[in-house]
Amino acid sequence: MIVIDNLQAEVEGKAILKGVNLTMNPGEVHALMGPNGAGKSTLADVLAGHGDLTVTSGSVRYYDQNLLDLAPEERSHAGVFKAFQYPVALPGVKNAYFLKAAINAHRKAQGQDPLDAFDFIQMTKEAMVRVGMDESFLQRDVNVGFSGGEKKRNEVLQMLLLDPKFAILDETDSGLDIDALRTVAEGVQSLRDSKRTFLVITHYQRLLDTIKPDFVHVLANGKIVKSGGPELALTLEDQGYAWLSDVEGHNDKS
Amino acid sequence: MTTQNQAIEDHLNQRYQHGFVTDVDADTLPPGLSENTVRWISAQKNEPDFLLQWRLQAFRHWQTLSEPQWAHLHIDPIDFQAISYYSSPHSKKDAPKSLDEVDPKLLETYEKLGIPLHERAALAGVAVDAVFDSVSVATTFKDKLAEAGVIFCSFSEAVQQHPELIKQYLGTVVPYRDNFYATLNSAVFSDGSFVYIPKGVRCPMELSTYFRINAANTGQFERTLIIAEPDSYVSYLEGCTAPMRDENQLHAAVVELVALDRAEIKYSTVQNWYPGDENGKGGIYNFVTKRGACRGQASKISWTQVETGSAITWKYPSVVLQGDDSVGEFYSVALSNLCQQADTGTKMIHLGKNTKSTIISKGISAGKGQNAYRGMVRVTPKAKGARNFTQCDSLLIGSSCGAHTFPHIDAACDDAIIEHEASTAKISEDQLFYCLQRGISEENAVSMIVNGFCRSVFQQLPMEFAVEAQKLLEVSLEGAVG
Ligand SMILES: Nc1ncnc2c1ncn2[C@@H]1O[C@H](COP(=O)(O)OP(=O)(O)OP(=O)(O)O)[C@@H](O)[C@H]1O
Ligand SMILES: [Mg+2]
């Protein structure tokens, strides 16, 4: 179980998260929506442990651990995965090399031997078929010259290979063509099981049509201002966020 | 007579009295430099008169020079009278007596680099005869070379065995007047390597200083001469990845390469001098003059170097492209971490027609390291159809380090084609976070990015050397971030 309790965080002295509360159980898929600049990516970064962010208050319980006590790579080893909204390019680093380094770092943390070259290639090629990526991407530098959609597929590929317990997808559906969108949705669906938790940050209903989240939350101005079932996403698609400002104002006064 | 000269005089007497050096102390010349010192060194080595005269000319010229001032290096003044200019291979007065006396940090590094146990003592400068298990290896090695007619021996040995070659080529690429440190080296050089590849011979193996056992003690003024006769080929490897401990702070080596018609010389260096302790104390000053002459038509010389270590590095391997259609190449990775300063680069001098040069320089700065690239491409009026391509990239790790590039192009021939590309990149927080999020440690992330950055240079190194170089960078960058 993942419990975010009154989480407050700032960047360069500016408060961004102003008391986020959210509980997620194994097997659940939570969608997080909200206007631009609300703090969605910031929340994802705080959970993953980005060094630029300072947590000023609150806590995050991750099963039996205090998540905020762990170093970013330890969180990764513990099963936290974040698909980046803007995946970073690593010039000179071959994708195959990077994937292998990541997989073996996880295996090492679990006390397993490194994967041999043959098993690695086999496992990676299988996963690449699932996300619709050509094998030639293994020989290219990580995210260098990848199109927007190719970067997102590459994120999903990493998710499949690292087999996370808690996957955060930050706008993995943005900028995708219809095929890519289906790939991402199927990627999530295929991993969905009773032990895994997803936090899917999105602006669009399209992805949620396939994924069918258990819960939908709206983050605005650093707080979760509304939570509901899948129907909330439909309402948002229809009416936008404007009607929620009342809710927010009302909450602030109380 | 000054007391210093008196001391040398005493040494000379001692030597002549006994005919050989008896006690350990007498093996080392007391500090100081004078004409007598030069004569003493030459006599000690039993050198022919032409060599003594050459040394003396150099010494007299050196006395008229003053130490150069460097724009981008901060150097404490060097007291040339406080240096001892001769130390026989077996006398290492201040050397540790056993591995127990060696800086544990250094030993830790050997461990990480995977240096075999039996070699660690020799590398750490322990005062025992360097006993390598590789004696038998070295012997088979020598037999094979002799079969091919290749000469590969110490410089001193070559002076005795092949004086005519020394006389013909010494100082023809780097004249004794070349620069302050080359002049000093010409006067007092201790030893070094000599290579001769006969006409039409492709040297059957990589020549590595590693196998030349006495190379361990060639001292601070090393001299190397490589001659490749027409249609021959040689690949020469200098140094090794293990940090060399050395009590001599100043190193001023000279390397001369001569490639005749269609000959090719590939010279690779992986250098990792002891950078000193945590405060930079005891680090090596490394002033090297390396130059190759593509004397023959369609000859080729390429320098590949991976440098880390020394407190101060000043080094510009250069190629003089005399022969028509000759080719010069320079591939370099220079890393400066801690308080290290590196000032490196190359000179390509185009004299012949249709000569071509390529320069790929990768500078990495971390910690408080300062890295400067200084390159010069000169095309003389007669060098019709000359081409140069230069690529000069810098990678910064952290925010207290610096990179500087000083390209200099001097083209006196209209149809020369000269291309220059430069870039500076920084390993960003976002890149590191991306790797961390995938479970990769910060150190592995940095070394992964650095290795990627250096790939085009590592590809030029012989396979085994490339693997070592990669490991070396990893170890050198430990703790560079965070
Ligand atoms: N380094 C920074 N310095 C100052 N402000 C920052 C910094 N990083 C983020 N912010 C601000 O924090 C706020 C939240 O940003 P965040 O990226 O979390 O929004 P988001 O909800 O993900 O928006 P979007 O839907 O556009 O992706 C924004 O106003 C942003 O400008
Ligand atoms: Mg965002």
Side-chain angles (χ1 to χ4, degrees), chain A residues 22-190:
Chain A
L22 185 58
T23 298
M24 292 170 277
N25 289 301
E28 291 176 355
V29 175
H30 293 250
L32 184 64
M33 306 184 79
N36 294 133
K40 302 181 296 296
S41 293
T42 304
L43 176 62
D45 278 342
V46 170
L47 294 175
H50 196 298
D52 284 355
L53 298 159
T54 315
V55 173
T56 49
S57 179
S59 67
V60 180
R61 179 132 293 276
Y62 178 74
Y63 295 87
D64 54 355
Q65 284 178 298
N66 184 350
L67 191 69
L68 302 180
D69 284 348
L70 303 180
E73 66 273 31
E74 292 169 337
R75 299 185 198 192
S76 173
H77 301 154
V80 177
F81 178 90
K82 180 182 108 123
F84 285 67
Q85 182 174 2
Y86 305 108
V88 183
L90 301 175
V93 180
K94 284 219 172 77
N95 215 15
Y97 189 87
F98 179 76
L99 295 173
K100 201 170 173 187
I103 292 170
N104 283 334
H106 277 250
R107 292 178 66 92
K108 193 175 169 196
Q110 266 102 55
Q112 293 170 304
D113 287 338
L115 211 56
D116 72 43
F118 180 79
D119 290 341
F120 165 74
I121 285 295
Q122 194 153 22
M123 157 178 176
T124 306
K125 282 184 177 170
E126 269 170 33
M128 288 181 97
V129 172
R130 280 166 70 192
V131 298
M133 277 174 90
D134 189 86
E135 279 172 26
S136 64
F137 280 94
L138 285 176
Q139 295 312 315
R140 288 180 57 179
D141 292 354
V142 179
N143 293 325
V144 175
F146 285 26
S147 77
E150 287 164 353
K151 283 183 188 168
K152 298 297 172 81
R153 285 179 198 260
N154 202 36
E155 294 291 290
V156 178
L157 172 67
Q158 294 175 55
M159 179 175 76
L160 294 180
L161 291 173
L162 293 177
D163 192 23
K165 203 151 90 175
F166 176 34
I168 306 161
L169 281 75
D170 191 357
E171 295 199 27
T172 307
D173 56 336
S174 291
L176 295 187
D177 64 31
I178 294 157
D179 288 344
L181 187 72
R182 189 180 305 127
T183 303
V184 170
E186 282 168 3
V188 172
Q189 288 301 87
S190 71

Side-chain angles (χ1 to χ4, degrees), chain B residues 162-451:
Chain B
H162 311 282
E164 69 297 340
L165 287 174
I166 301 286
K167 196 169 179 182
Q168 187 181 349
Y169 289 103
L170 178 70
T172 62
V173 187
V174 180
Y176 70 78
R177 292 172 164 269
D178 195 77
N179 68 72
F180 184 85
Y181 289 103
T183 305
L184 178 62
N185 175 292
S186 303
V188 301
F189 68 88
S190 33
D191 210 334
S193 302
F194 177 81
V195 175
Y196 176 84
I197 315 290
K199 204 170 167 182
V201 170
R202 201 182 157 84
C203 188
M205 58 191 61
E206 317 263 0
L207 296 184
S208 163
T209 45
Y210 189 79
F211 283 109
R212 236 202 55 229
I213 289 169
N214 59 357
N217 289 310
T218 39
Q220 62 204 104
F221 300 102
E222 200 172 337
R223 186 131 200 146
T224 298
L225 176 59
I226 300 178
I227 302 153
E229 290 279 12
D231 299 299
S232 67
Y233 167 85
V234 62
S235 165
Y236 185 88
L237 314 181
E238 175 197 34
C240 68
T241 51
M244 296 280 243
R245 195 195 150 278
D246 196 311
E247 56 267 44
N248 300 311
Q249 194 179 31
L250 173 67
H251 280 248
V254 171
V255 177
E256 297 181 277
L257 312 181
V258 179
L260 299 172
D261 287 349
R262 296 167 304 277
E264 179 177 349
I265 302 176
K266 211 170 144 59
Y267 192 108
S268 312
T269 310
V270 173
Q271 200 92 277
N272 183 13
W273 291 105
Y274 183 53
D277 63 13
E278 271 146 39
N279 307 314
K281 222 182 137 212
I284 304 281
Y285 292 5
N286 192 21
F287 300 101
V288 185
T289 306
K290 286 183 163 174
R291 192 173 305 148
C294 280
R295 219 160 264 178
Q297 186 260 328
S299 54
K300 178 175 174 184
I301 288 179
S302 61
W303 298 102
T304 305
Q305 57 173 30
V306 177
E307 289 273 349
T308 80
S310 58
I312 292 178
T313 299
W314 175 89
K315 162 173 178 180
Y316 309 92
S318 308
V319 183
V320 182
L321 298 149
Q322 286 167 282
D324 291 347
D325 304 304
S326 59
V327 176
E329 293 174 339
F330 173 77
Y331 301 97
S332 159
V333 168
L335 168 82
S336 49
N337 195 0
L338 308 171
C339 300
Q340 293 166 9
Q341 306 172 56
D343 195 314
T344 66
T346 186
K347 282 185 207 158
M348 293 290 174
I349 316 288
H350 293 257
L351 302 174
K353 290 192 195 67
N354 300 318
T355 45
K356 261 204 293 202
S357 62
T358 304
I359 299 170
I360 310 280
S361 159
K362 305 275 181 177
I364 304 159
S365 314
K368 291 190 181 129
Q370 293 293 325
N371 224 320
Y373 168 82
R374 226 176 273 278
M376 192 221 250
V377 177
R378 176 180 291 159
V379 181
T380 59
K382 282 190 201 149
K384 293 260 176 289
R387 298 196 60 156
N388 164 266
F389 174 74
T390 299
Q391 186 184 333
C392 186
D393 300 323
S394 311
L395 184 67
L396 305 178
I397 305 172
S399 48
S400 319
C401 55
H404 318 268
T405 50
F406 307 94
H408 184 86
I409 296 164
D410 177 4
C413 187
D414 292 343
D415 67 351
I417 302 175
I418 295 176
E419 293 168 87
H420 183 98
E421 285 176 11
S423 75
T424 301
K426 208 176 140 129
I427 296 189
S428 70
E429 288 296 320
D430 285 341
Q431 285 175 320
L432 289 178
F433 180 61
Y434 191 68
C435 297
L436 291 173
Q437 210 303 303
R438 299 306 186 242
I440 300 165
S441 73
E442 187 158 272
E443 270 169 13
N444 285 346
V446 170
S447 91
M448 201 161 69
I449 294 169
V450 167
N451 276 318

